[in-house]
Amino acid sequence: MNFQQHNLPESHALPRSVSKRIAAARPLATTAMHERVELLKLRGEAVIDFSIAISHFPAPAPVRAAVRAALDEPLLPYTAVGGLPALRDMLAAKLRRENHIDAQAHHVIVTNGAKQALYQSLYVMTDPGDTVIVLRPHWPAYVATAQLLGLHIVLADQPDVVDAAFLDALPVAKVLMLNNPHNPTGKVYTPAELGAIRAWLRARGSACIVDESYEKLVFDGEHHSLAACPDWETLGITTIFSASQSYAMMGWRAGFACAPAVWIKAMEALQGPITAAVPALTQAAAAAAFAIGAVPELLADYRARRDLVVGLFAPVPWIAMAAPASGPYLWGDVSALTVDTVAFAETLIDDYRVAIMPGEALGCPGFIRIGYIADDEATLRRGVAAIIALGDRWAAAGAAH
């Protein structure tokens, strides 16, 4: 069959537009602010970036050694879409040993970080128009992913204690989205709270996605997994894990999900034509990382930084900041100063070259999120001093803000 190509004159070229699926999407606020910082740095400007959490620690030595060893292998072939069988076996054993989740290899899929696990989980667990409940404040990717999938999003304010009264007031939903330990507040769910959530899932028939990426960054209390119960598959609990923060492996993009076997098979079908398997080197890194457990020196360093920054803000009258029980972020209530934290963040980076995340990006105007794990102590102190200086300036201006 012969085809004849006709080139239209330039003036008659067809207009190009993006699809309706993506037209309403916007870059994540967290990503956008970090990219803005990187552009300023490319121009030679010194910027302190508290907008995201990038550890000053290297990846653990066993991770780096595992990747070096993998590089010496003669071949790095494609692997099964869901991950190397040995890695899935190892991750299932980790889940049984550390998380008390009765999982086998067929309950595990290895992904390019937590975001791929989140997208694929929501994709296979819902249909367009289904309702998903997200607790506020929230990691921006939860809402952005649900929007991309055409879901109806209900935002509910996370209480200090999640109990039956709170849960029973929630609307009917296909999926409840949880984050434990929580970004940005650092909340760690107690066994009683997890028990109340399981009882609610049994009564309602809703499924649940719980992001446990910060499981190894707990300073106070103890992390427990929601799926640590005999009927986790029947309840429809999908649990997401990531090496990014627990093991200072942000750029390695190593994550995995544990879910009922039917959803894992569906996620493999989705992942196959998108990325196929996670790169073999990343799988080698993941195997080493998730075998480590907690990293005590990292936790001790983060705890000291947490206490330092909370102490620096303690005498400041316009901010309320508690020491979080977990995680690489601090969550400050500045509503006594302003509820327009977008304007506060913009002024801070424009005038002081310090980047933070405004609460609006996480669903809560009047709050700011600070990633405190990236820099040396002197830089950390300078960044906090800049935030205080701007806040004091605005406080002196009074009603203007």
Side-chain angles (χ1 to χ4, degrees):
M1 184 180 293
N2 294 322
F3 294 93
Q4 189 171 9
Q5 181 172 323
H6 296 280
N7 293 321
L8 292 173
E10 186 175 344
S11 60
H12 295 288
L14 296 175
R16 300 299 179 195
S17 61
V18 299
S19 69
K20 293 178 182 178
R21 289 191 301 271
I22 199 66
R26 296 291 180 270
L28 288 177
T30 45
T31 305
M33 180 62 84
H34 180 62
E35 288 178 351
R36 184 173 174 187
V37 169
E38 292 302 304
L39 286 173
L40 288 170
K41 288 181 177 179
L42 284 174
R43 285 166 29 187
E45 300 196 41
V47 185
I48 299 173
D49 188 6
F50 294 159
S51 68
I52 59 175
I54 299 180
S55 180
H56 69 286
F57 274 80
V63 172
R64 304 196 305 275
V67 172
R68 281 192 293 268
L71 285 172
D72 289 334
E73 294 295 321
L75 294 174
L76 285 174
Y78 293 126
T79 75
V81 169
L84 287 161
L87 175 56
R88 295 170 81 174
D89 281 336
M90 173 265 183
L91 292 173
K94 170 256 191 278
L95 291 169
R96 295 191 300 271
R97 181 180 66 254
E98 296 181 1
N99 302 89
H100 307 293
I101 299 173
D102 186 15
Q104 304 299 323
H106 61 271
H107 295 122
V108 172
I109 183 170
V110 184
T111 59
N112 291 282
K115 285 180 179 175
Q116 184 173 26
L118 168 65
Y119 183 91
Q120 292 178 176
S121 297
L122 267 181
Y123 191 102
V124 306
M125 293 169 66
T126 64
D127 289 304
D130 284 342
T131 296
V132 58
I133 298 172
V134 178
L135 301 189
R136 180 171 50 196
H138 56 75
W139 186 39
Y142 299 147
V143 169
T145 303
Q147 288 172 333
L148 284 173
L149 295 174
L151 303 177
H152 173 61
I153 304 162
V154 173
L155 296 176
D157 292 329
Q158 178 167 265
D160 291 335
V161 177
V162 175
D163 57 16
F166 166 76
L167 293 164
D168 289 343
L170 295 175
V172 175
K174 190 71 170 287
V175 172
L176 171 65
M177 185 88 65
L178 298 176
N179 187 194
N180 175 41
H182 185 255
N183 170 9
T185 67
K187 175 181 173 60
V188 180
Y189 283 63
T190 66
E193 289 176 303
L194 297 175
I197 293 165
R198 294 183 195 113
W200 182 83
L201 294 174
R202 293 184 186 105
R204 285 286 186 95
S206 298
C208 185
I209 296 174
V210 55
D211 180 353
E212 300 188 2
S213 294
Y214 296 171
E215 63 165 339
K216 301 303 181 186
L217 293 185
V218 177
F219 309 119
D220 306 311
E222 186 177 353
H223 171 259
H224 300 274
S225 288
L226 180 66
C229 57
D231 58 343
W232 71 269
E233 279 197 90
T234 303
L235 293 180
I237 299 173
T238 293
T239 313
I240 294 171
F241 298 89
S242 169
S244 293
Q245 295 297 345
S246 291
Y247 300 106
M249 293 171 61
M250 289 68 58
W252 296 74
R253 312 314 303 141
F256 72 97
C258 170
V262 64
W263 288 341
I264 292 296
K265 291 299 291 184
M267 285 188 233
E268 290 183 63
L270 175 60
Q271 185 166 309
I274 300 175
T275 63
V278 169
L281 288 178
T282 299
Q283 293 191 56
F290 288 109
I292 292 172
V295 183
E297 60 272 24
L298 183 147
L299 269 177
D301 178 273
Y302 288 5
R303 183 193 295 273
R305 288 164 172 267
R306 177 200 68 170
D307 293 345
L308 169 66
V309 177
V310 171
L312 292 173
F313 280 119
V316 179
W318 47 262
I319 186 169
M321 178 182 288
S326 69
Y329 293 109
L330 297 169
W331 185 239
D333 181 351
V334 297
S335 58
L337 176 71
T338 182
V339 294
D340 187 356
T341 47
V342 169
F344 186 84
E346 289 293 326
T347 306
L348 186 65
I349 194 168
D350 287 343
D351 294 1
Y352 295 86
R353 289 298 189 253
V354 173
I356 59 171
M357 191 51 52
E360 284 89 338
L362 296 93
C364 291
F367 289 78
I368 59 173
R369 190 189 73 174
I370 298 171
Y372 64 93
I373 64 172
D375 303 293
D376 59 85
E377 182 179 323
T379 305
L380 190 60
R381 288 178 177 273
R382 285 199 308 273
V384 171
I387 296 170
I388 294 172
L390 175 59
D392 287 347
R393 197 177 96 194
W394 278 26
H401 300 286

